[in-house]
Amino acid sequence: MKFTTNREGLLRPLQLVTGVVERRQTLPVLSNLLIEATPAGLSITGTDLEVEMVAIIEGVQVDQPGTATIPARKLADIWRSLPEGAEVSVTQEADRAIVRSGRSRFTLATLPPQEFPKVEGAPSDIEIKLTSKEVRRLLDQVGFSMAQQDVRYFLNGMLLEITSGHTRTVATDGHRLAMCTLNRGADGVERHQVIVPRKGVIEFSRLLADDDTEVTLSVSANHLRVKQGAYTLTTKLVDGKFPDYEKVIPKDASRSLQCDRETLRQAFLRASILSNEKYRGVRLTIDEDTLTIQANNPEQEEAEEIVSVAYQDGMMEIGFNVSYLQDVLGALSTDQVTISVSDANSSALIEAKEPDDSVYVVMPMRL
């Protein structure tokens, strides 16, 4: 195998595909990328047996077709460190790959290509085409609410729900819930739900540009396949049942306050400095057109912030984890937010005025 290309042509594909490769592997070949050179161009594949990414690169000068597996991170680091505009050649000789550029030469150990595993994807049951910008919003608005290493393994990921009328993402860690809905679905689908694992969501998000490039989502019984341009990401799905998120969303949140999002976010940021590092609790006292935020810690230090809000429903005190509130206000992009609760023991419903595609629920905490 031998091919020649410029540094920039392979830089992003190498970085994206290498992102899928885990640093610690049970199989040595999983630390490598599978590189296939054909007269049409290059195919680069990386996998950890759960997630697989394939990049197809055209416009590469292939002098000798062939296949090799090359250490992923070493190759990506070498590529990144080369000067801009450099021309690079990669040659496989026996069990070595030689990377040359100018006066630089690197020799890397390879492994037999036949040892490299493939993530098998079944034929898709549902296929939907969206823009990269739409899918990115679906992920970014809810991704922060996914659990991390929860024993309830089905929470360590994101629910993807497709119906004939909408495409929806939902994530929860048991203390807060985030939901984003796009009013476009797949014709003839009543209601199809799958759980995409956390790593699949992260790699999916890295792949997407914030533009109108077409993205094809193909859902089968055990896999989600995402195709955007030259890239194809395949991830196994989590085998489990996601909680009934509709029961979590408060229906009777009768008390509502409206406030400037950025003002509120900054107030929470300042108050959080003196909150308990472990519990991160803040006390909210809501009265007529005023919200008072109080935080303290075991060193008897205190913070108090007073924010002007639109509120007329009687005085109330309620406690929250300030980090959860900051995450929600950071995800929203509108000027105004609405926070609705029914009493001091009920979850808060946080929404933006426009657009109204995202809903957040945060559970209260005792202070």
Side-chain angles (χ1 to χ4, degrees):
M1 180 184 81
K2 182 179 180 183
F3 65 86
T4 306
T5 184
N6 65 336
R7 172 184 177 269
E8 281 63 37
L10 238 61
L11 185 60
R12 185 166 187 262
L14 276 176
Q15 289 176 329
L16 282 171
V17 177
T18 300
V20 172
V21 178
E22 291 287 350
R23 290 186 182 275
R24 294 182 180 178
Q25 294 286 4
T26 50
L27 291 172
V29 76
L30 291 178
S31 298
N32 289 13
L33 298 176
L34 178 68
I35 300 181
E36 300 173 82
T38 68
L42 284 188
S43 166
I44 304 176
T45 305
T47 183
D48 66 351
L49 296 181
E50 297 291 323
V51 181
E52 176 191 83
M53 188 179 291
V54 181
I56 306 293
I57 303 100
E58 297 173 346
V60 176
Q61 179 188 328
V62 176
D63 301 309
Q64 190 177 333
T67 306
T69 72
I70 302 177
R73 296 195 186 281
K74 289 173 185 172
L75 183 63
D77 288 347
I78 289 168
W79 219 270
R80 189 166 46 244
S81 66
L82 292 171
E84 282 187 29
E87 186 148 301
V88 195
S89 73
V90 179
T91 310
Q92 186 191 19
E93 296 177 3
D95 60 349
R96 292 284 184 267
I98 300 164
V99 182
R100 293 186 179 90
S101 179
R103 294 186 172 184
S104 304
R105 181 175 179 274
F106 308 88
T107 304
L108 298 170
T110 64
L111 289 168
Q114 55 268 30
E115 291 182 12
F116 195 87
K118 289 262 186 166
V119 175
E120 296 297 330
S124 61
D125 301 324
I126 296 171
E127 190 169 288
I128 183 170
K129 295 183 188 296
L130 303 170
T131 69
S132 184
K133 188 183 291 185
E134 289 170 335
V135 182
R136 191 177 183 87
R137 182 166 178 81
L138 285 169
L139 300 184
D140 290 352
Q141 292 296 104
V142 308
F144 63 86
S145 287
M146 290 186 292
Q148 295 188 52
Q149 299 179 325
D150 197 295
V151 292
R152 297 163 294 181
Y153 61 93
F154 49 83
L155 297 185
N156 301 320
M158 178 184 293
L159 177 74
L160 173 64
E161 178 181 284
I162 300 172
T163 72
S164 58
H166 69 247
T167 302
R168 176 175 289 164
T169 51
V170 186
T172 180
D173 60 6
H175 303 286
R176 39 133 176 230
L177 178 141
M179 181 176 85
C180 184
T181 305
L182 174 70
N183 292 322
R184 282 175 60 195
D187 292 340
V189 178
E190 190 172 336
R191 191 183 199 192
H192 192 83
Q193 294 185 335
V194 296
I195 304 173
V196 186
R198 182 183 183 84
K199 182 174 179 181
V201 172
I202 292 169
E203 296 305 326
F204 190 0
S205 189
R206 288 177 66 232
L207 175 63
L208 297 167
D210 195 15
D211 58 24
D212 292 326
T213 307
E214 185 178 83
V215 178
T216 304
L217 307 183
S218 303
V219 184
S220 64
N222 301 310
H223 293 86
L224 168 68
R225 179 161 284 154
V226 181
K227 184 163 177 51
Q228 178 190 265
Y231 300 95
T232 303
L233 175 76
T234 306
T235 175
K236 287 185 177 178
L237 298 171
V238 177
D239 183 15
K241 184 165 174 57
F242 201 79
D244 186 352
Y245 64 86
E246 291 180 332
K247 288 184 178 176
V248 177
I249 299 170
K251 302 291 191 292
D252 58 346
S254 53
R255 299 177 172 186
S256 293
L257 68 84
Q258 291 182 352
C259 181
D260 179 76
R261 181 189 65 86
E262 185 59 23
T263 302
L264 193 58
R265 193 181 73 82
Q266 293 290 346
F268 282 135
L269 179 65
R270 291 189 293 269
S272 70
I273 295 168
L274 297 186
S275 66
N276 185 309
E277 288 183 12
K278 184 177 180 183
Y279 299 108
R280 307 288 289 159
V282 292
R283 185 189 306 278
L284 308 187
T285 305
I286 314 167
D287 208 347
E288 192 172 320
D289 292 339
T290 304
L291 169 65
T292 304
I293 305 165
Q294 294 171 305
N296 55 55
N297 58 31
E299 288 79 43
Q300 306 298 315
E301 297 166 329
E302 295 180 355
E304 181 178 283
E305 291 277 341
I306 298 174
V307 180
S308 296
V309 297
Y311 177 78
Q312 301 290 329
D313 296 318
M315 197 194 112
M316 187 178 69
E317 282 192 357
I318 189 167
F320 289 106
N321 180 317
V322 69
S323 297
Y324 296 164
L325 298 175
Q326 287 175 286
D327 285 344
V328 171
L329 295 175
L332 292 168
S333 55
T334 53
D335 294 337
Q336 295 285 315
V337 294
T338 301
I339 302 176
S340 306
V341 292
S342 56
D343 56 52
N345 299 313
S346 68
S347 298
L349 181 68
I350 307 176
E351 302 167 280
K353 276 193 163 184
E354 293 288 340
D356 58 354
D357 60 357
S358 303
V359 172
Y360 301 92
V361 179
V362 180
M363 289 180 65
M365 63 186 294
R366 295 180 185 275
L367 294 176

